[in-house]
Amino acid sequence: MRLLLIHLLLLGLLASAAELPPVVFVHGNGDDATKWVPTIWLFESNGYPKDRLFAIRLTDPVARREDSKPEAFRSSTTDQASELAAFVARVLLETKAKKVALVGSSRGGLTIRNYLRNAGGWAVTSHAVLCGTPNHGVISVDGMPDMEFNAKGNFLRALNQGSETVEGIRFLTIRSDKQDKFAQPNVGYDAPALQGAEDVVLPGLDHREVAFHPKAFSVIYRFLTNTAPARLQPVAESAPVISGFITAFANGAPTNRPAAGIPLQIFALRPGSSERDGVPLLDSTTTIAGAWGPLQVAPNRGYEFVLTAPEGRTITYFITGIHRSTNLLNLRLVPPSPAPGLQIHRPQGYFSKGRDAVKINGLELESIPPGIPTRDSLSIQPNGPVTVELREELLFARPALRPGDTSIATFLWE
């Protein structure tokens, strides 16, 4: 009861706090807006107005190999900053706000800094939060001057020249102690920190978790609101409504370009099982914008999303724990699997032996490499349906059986 009263009080305080800025979440290299769904749910569950929470889907999220040389389906630093500028302008028009808060993961933080310094963002931004951002590079070499992530390259040298922050904007960097795969092995654990920014170290968390873990949310929320969150788990809605997009790969890179005319079926799963519970709840094809939905679901059920690629193969996603509504569920037409089986995806973090046990049908998976977490995908070849467990989040899935088909069990929360 005490927690409930605190939560209700917080909702009232935040609802009347007109100074709260719209928040724009910016994903990283190769990613999409879906990464921010659990974070947005936590903001909503702690009373932040839903209509002031936005996540951008950058068209071509993978960086060029050389920033100044055009490369199909990959983006330059200028591409990213200009897209963010247009998105922020739209958010300001919609909300009638004067300034936004920007929160970026990894490369998304570099895009934010470029926008603030070189594209006019300094005038319309109140806060900048950079999570695991390679502010001082992923590598530091005398060659490769046109490589975006080279500390000695043209882009980062210019970005870090003079003051590393922008006057009038509150900066926060969030980073790992020893678990960031893009910092520790190459440029040092403190490379994401910026001179002039508030700096928070979250021990034990990996490169992605410093953006998407509940501990990271707590730091971000306090920074933006000057208030500690009352909840570190999302409050489930009774009847969430979901929708999203289907995208694909091109030139060996994931893109957020729409895949139109893709058949999609969504099935509810029987409780505690990966077996379908009846006919499809949704049976449609994506629009010219690659969009699908809306569909009302239950927060305590598992769901199977079946995409049919133009060449006839299927890509099946198994997702459990859709606690709240979202229009950001991006499903990708991933390349064909080399062998039938099941892929296990962890979008919000990486797998690491000894840090987080992954259990298949109750038994710990032993194939996860030790050391700094570097892999967000695992492949197994089970004989039949499985239960996958990570940090008490349960997924129910079936392996693909036909050559070329792909089955993916994806953790939405952990």
Side-chain angles (χ1 to χ4, degrees), residues 114-190:
N114 194 17
Y115 164 62
L116 295 179
R117 176 167 289 202
N118 300 313
W122 59 270
V124 293
T125 303
S126 60
H127 303 71
V129 182
L130 316 177
C131 308
T133 295
N135 288 307
H136 296 96
V138 173
I139 59 172
S140 182
V141 297
D142 291 326
M144 305 175 69
D146 207 19
M147 198 269 198
E148 178 178 339
F149 306 114
N150 182 10
K152 295 183 178 181
N154 300 328
F155 174 69
L156 283 181
R157 283 169 63 92
L159 205 58
N160 292 325
Q161 185 176 10
S163 173
E164 294 187 346
T165 58
V166 178
E167 186 177 356
I169 299 172
R170 291 186 60 198
F171 272 79
L172 168 68
T173 55
I174 306 177
R175 57 187 174 90
S176 177
D177 55 346
K178 300 177 181 178
Q179 302 294 326
D180 190 326
K181 73 175 195 172
F182 291 119
Q184 268 75 82
N186 306 308
V187 291
Y189 74 94
D190 58 349

Side-chain angles (χ1 to χ4, degrees), residues 345-363:
H345 287 185
R346 189 184 179 202
Q348 275 71 37
Y350 295 89
F351 297 107
S352 176
K353 189 177 183 65
R355 191 180 65 137
D356 299 305
V358 178
K359 296 181 180 180
I360 308 297
N361 292 336
L363 299 176

